Amino acid sequence: MIAFENVAYNYGGGELLSEVSIRLAPGSFHFLTGPSGAGKTTFLKLAYAELLPTAGHVTVFDRDVRSLTRDDVAMVRRRVGVVHQDVQFLDHLPLAANVALPLTVAGRDGHMQDLTDLLGWVGLGKLADALPASLSGGERQRGALARAIIMGPDVILADEPTGNLDWEMSVRLLTLLVELNKMGKTILIATHDLNLIRQTKSLVAARVLRIRNRRIQLAGADL
Amino acid sequence: MTLRRRLAAMILPDRQADRVVPPSGPTAWLTTFTAAAMTFLAVFALALSLASGRLADRWAGALAGTATIRIAAPVDQMAVQTAAVLDILKTTPGIASARAMTDDEQRALLAPWFGPDLPLEALPIPRLVELTEDADGFDSEGLRQRLLAEAPGAVLDDHTRWQRPLAVGASRLNLLGTLSMALIAAIMAAMITLAANASLAANAQVIRVLRLVGAQDDYIAAAFVRRFTLRALMGSAIGAIAGTIGIALLPPVDEAGGFLTGLGFTGFGWLLPLALPPIAAAVALLATRAAAFRKLRELT
Ligand SMILES: Nc1ncnc2c1ncn2[C@@H]1O[C@H](COP(=O)(O)OP(=O)(O)O)[C@@H](O)[C@H]1O
Ligand SMILES: [Mg+2]
């Protein structure tokens, strides 16, 4: 689905990531950990073609991201659901319209039943008409997850999706992601919360990637 | 994307796209106002252009008339000088044809004053030579010099020629009117570009979110294009109506006389201001679209 081959990246200063070679196989479940500032968000941005690698190759759905036109990138965004670290909604539209936004911009409006089901599934059924500004952190995170999956993407990338949630809410959200993985979706979650990873390991066969010294390596049993 | 779909996306953007960009901020009125004011001015430029065009045509038409050469000579030299004048005219560039009037024609010309039985042969009546110039016109000063040398009794009378500078002036005025309209269109494009840029910048965050959820540039641009095109169309319609009323309220030609009051429309010309709002809309569409694509590349 998504493959990194000897990828390096820097924001113009020193190298942030280097020699990164990773393949996200269909149906796999990965965690990406590392201290704050290690480059987790940067890695995800490379994976959904928001950034282009400064060296090496990133391949998304068998296409090198460097060869993608702006329209191609838009198409990639429709097939890769992303839960962003700083969840952003359109503040003038109610939650339901925000969750349906990927459908709207793709000209595929009108699956209202699906939308209602989805909002119910993430526990936001009663908040469909609420404006984003009135939502709590956890509600925003779940809204973002709903928006990320409404197009039925093959891959879901979540950047600290439990960042400002309490433990109970974190586990609930993670359970949703595990369910999605059981439906066959490829999942990658960036988080620095090791407890959460341990909690999840009993539910799903997840692999843990760790950023250390600019490299990404598979973490062993030392978690 | 096919060309047809591309055009459709440009001209008839999705109504949904309208909703995803929040209702506009303080610069919204700027486009409507600019389009109204500029179209108001354009109506006058258009009227000026049309009126001076008519004037130029009329004066240029008058120029195409004839000039005359009057030959006053003793009766015995008359035939020689007339032949000499015709020879000179034959070799003068810019003269299409020349012809000496017959006795009958001259008698007819003089009849109103002297009656039909004028004994032309016995009187020292000047002979008239009528000439027609071609489109380029002839050099009247040069012709005068040659006549003076070779047929001293001949006098060139080119009284219609004083209108030539007026005809030139009128066609310059016509050009200025056209140029003014082009400048008005350019100013409008510039103002709308500024307003569109302000609106795009104010909505930078919205644009980023839309790109992140998979919106194509065409889709996002359409939301802005639709808005600005409609505003320009509306403003321009107001300006066109106001301008046309202004022209209609000018005093009529016969009342004030002269050249300036010829400023106005005639016949179907009154329908021409109707063409301005669609032109303004097209200018707004192109300006906003260009601004949107530039900003989109800059933002994401
Ligand atoms: N747009 C940017 N320009 C310059 N530096 C950046 C930019 N974004 C992130 N960084 C820097 O890159 C490093 C990694 O950031 P990030 O990928 O967000 O890390 P993480 O998500 O693991 O906390 C940080 O030091 C951050 O300051
Ligand atoms: Mg981060």
Side-chain angles (χ1 to χ4, degrees), chain A residues 148-195:
Chain A
I149 62 182
I150 195 160
M151 293 287 281
D154 308 312
V155 184
I156 295 158
L157 307 175
D159 195 356
E160 315 256 10
T162 60
N164 42 26
L165 302 188
D166 57 35
W167 176 249
E168 193 188 338
M169 192 61 80
S170 299
V171 172
R172 258 179 79 185
L173 198 104
L174 214 67
T175 313
L176 290 177
L177 285 162
V178 170
E179 272 185 57
L180 285 166
N181 180 243
K182 299 239 154 90
M183 296 175 196
K185 313 285 186 198
T186 309
I187 309 264
L188 183 133
I189 301 170
T191 181
H192 60 254
D193 187 345
L194 300 186
N195 282 329

Side-chain angles (χ1 to χ4, degrees), chain A residues 36-37 39-42 85 159-160 190:
Chain A
S36 184
K40 300 183 293 296
T41 300
T42 304
Q85 185 168 11
D159 195 356
E160 315 256 10

Side-chain angles (χ1 to χ4, degrees), chain B residues 51-176:
Chain B
S52 54
R54 284 196 298 270
L55 219 51
D57 283 351
R58 198 184 317 144
W59 281 334
L63 283 179
T66 56
T68 32
I69 292 175
R70 212 166 357 99
I71 306 166
V75 179
D76 57 331
Q77 283 184 34
M78 188 60 93
V80 182
Q81 288 215 15
T82 304
V85 165
L86 288 174
D87 272 350
I88 291 171
L89 291 177
K90 232 173 259 161
T91 57
T92 304
I95 289 179
S97 66
R99 167 183 89 79
M101 282 192 175
T102 62
D103 285 347
D104 284 346
E105 283 172 315
Q106 295 206 178
R107 202 174 281 122
L109 278 177
L110 294 171
W113 288 279
F114 301 105
D117 303 319
L118 196 66
L120 211 55
E121 311 74 31
L123 291 169
I125 300 281
R127 171 69 62 192
L128 295 179
V129 172
E130 199 178 55
L131 61 91
T132 317
E133 59 183 334
D134 63 19
D136 297 334
F138 59 90
D139 165 23
S140 54
E141 214 32 58
L143 181 58
R144 264 198 198 97
Q145 298 294 334
R146 286 186 68 191
L147 289 172
L148 196 64
E150 299 176 36
V155 176
L156 172 65
D157 179 1
D158 59 348
H159 59 274
T160 58
R161 297 203 128 214
W162 65 271
Q163 291 185 343
R164 187 177 287 277
L166 287 184
V168 171
S171 57
R172 289 277 156 74
L173 215 51
N174 181 262
L175 195 69
L176 281 179

Side-chain angles (χ1 to χ4, degrees), chain B residues 176-239:
Chain B
L176 281 179
T178 311
L179 190 67
S180 303
M181 283 191 284
L183 284 176
I184 287 168
I187 292 170
M188 194 165 76
M191 291 292 283
I192 290 175
T193 301
L194 282 179
N197 274 333
S199 171
L200 287 157
N203 286 300
Q205 194 51 39
V206 170
I207 291 172
R208 280 199 200 94
V209 171
L210 289 174
R211 277 296 298 181
L212 283 176
V213 301
Q216 292 176 319
D217 287 352
D218 263 327
Y219 181 90
I220 301 172
F224 290 90
V225 166
R226 182 182 160 88
R227 223 166 257 208
F228 280 85
T229 304
L230 286 180
R231 273 180 210 150
L233 187 66
M234 213 173 66
S236 182
I238 295 169

Side-chain angles (χ1 to χ4, degrees), chain B residues 8-75:
Chain B
M10 255 171 81
I11 296 162
L12 300 168
D14 187 353
R15 276 198 153 273
Q16 288 292 341
D18 241 11
R19 228 163 34 88
V20 298
V21 177
S24 329
T27 54
W29 62 273
L30 189 63
T31 302
T32 315
F33 174 75
T34 304
M38 289 297 141
T39 308
F40 185 78
L41 295 179
V43 171
F44 287 94
L46 182 65
L48 174 71
S49 184
L50 290 174
S52 54
R54 284 196 298 270
L55 219 51
D57 283 351
R58 198 184 317 144
W59 281 334
L63 283 179
T66 56
T68 32
I69 292 175
R70 212 166 357 99
I71 306 166
V75 179

